Amino acid sequence: MPLPLGHIAIGLATHEVGSTRSAFSRWKLFTAIVVLSNLPDIDVIIGLLFHWNGSAFHRGPTHSFLFALVIGFLASRASNIWTWLPRLGFWTCFSLILSHVAADALLSTSAVSFFWPLETNWSTGHSGWEDVVRMVLRGDKQDAWIALSSAAVIAIHRAARTLKTDRLIRSGSKSAGD
């Protein structure tokens, strides 16, 4: 199961592949990516606050396509209204949230409620505050592999973009000299 570090890495790679702006040079954009790529796990906080169990509502509605659509739309509107937020389009916000849901669906054994409200899958067990904090701070080997894989995706994408840009510049200068 990806933990916050893994979701951040996947979110950064998702943004890098879908955008021409680098998230690493703008702290507001980086922060927005961190928040949006971890937003579906708000259900853990809600479970801890209301039931002292982070698993009480985990993997329910916040881990759905509908949540990604609605919250992606609201986040993109908020970024257009509030000037202190980085400007993010709907597809960027949607894909960052959906990257979390997809990672949980593909990289863990527990089901997500992708088609909520038509289906609902809840996480089982009990995770108190101490368990959740320990899990977030400790991380695991899977998050390390996710981070390394995401870094490789970012590096390959940047190299391909650089090669493409260099080819366009060279072909432009050849036609200008003809």
Side-chain angles (χ1 to χ4, degrees):
M1 155 178 83
L3 295 171
L5 176 64
H7 287 301
I8 291 167
I10 291 168
L12 288 167
T14 300
H15 179 269
E16 187 76 21
V17 169
S19 176
T20 57
R21 298 186 297 175
S22 172
F24 298 103
S25 62
R26 297 172 180 93
W27 71 270
K28 285 183 180 181
L29 178 58
F30 183 85
T31 303
I33 291 168
V34 167
V35 170
L36 289 171
S37 63
N38 277 292
L39 195 59
D41 279 343
I42 193 75
D43 57 5
V44 172
I45 303 299
I46 293 168
L48 286 169
L49 291 174
F50 291 103
H51 290 285
W52 294 94
N53 180 3
S55 296
F57 303 111
H58 193 48
R59 304 258 173 133
T62 62
H63 285 70
S64 69
F65 185 78
L66 182 61
F67 180 82
L69 277 173
V70 171
I71 302 302
F73 174 76
L74 293 174
S76 68
R77 293 299 112 220
S79 78
N80 287 328
I81 293 169
W82 294 317
T83 57
W84 54 272
L85 291 173
R87 297 263 185 244
L88 295 172
F90 165 74
W91 290 111
T92 299
C93 296
F94 170 73
S95 65
L96 289 169
I97 296 167
L98 194 64
S99 74
H100 179 109
V101 177
D104 278 356
L106 296 171
L107 301 174
S108 66
T109 56
S110 299
V112 298
S113 301
F114 190 76
F115 295 109
W116 180 88
L118 302 175
E119 70 170 356
T120 305
N121 298 296
W122 301 104
S123 191
T124 58
H126 185 277
S127 301
W129 283 97
E130 185 179 329
D131 301 321
V132 171
V133 170
R134 188 179 320 116
M135 197 180 331
V136 168
L137 294 178
R138 174 186 56 103
D140 66 4
K141 292 177 188 170
Q142 185 182 33
D143 270 5
W145 284 111
I146 291 170
L148 288 172
S149 300
S150 296
V153 166
I154 291 169
I156 291 167
H157 184 264
R158 283 186 176 189
R161 187 169 47 200
T162 301
L163 287 172
K164 182 179 177 182
T165 304
D166 287 348
R167 282 191 207 132
L168 289 174
I169 291 171
R170 279 193 220 119
S171 67
S173 65
K174 286 180 184 175
S175 22
D178 291 336

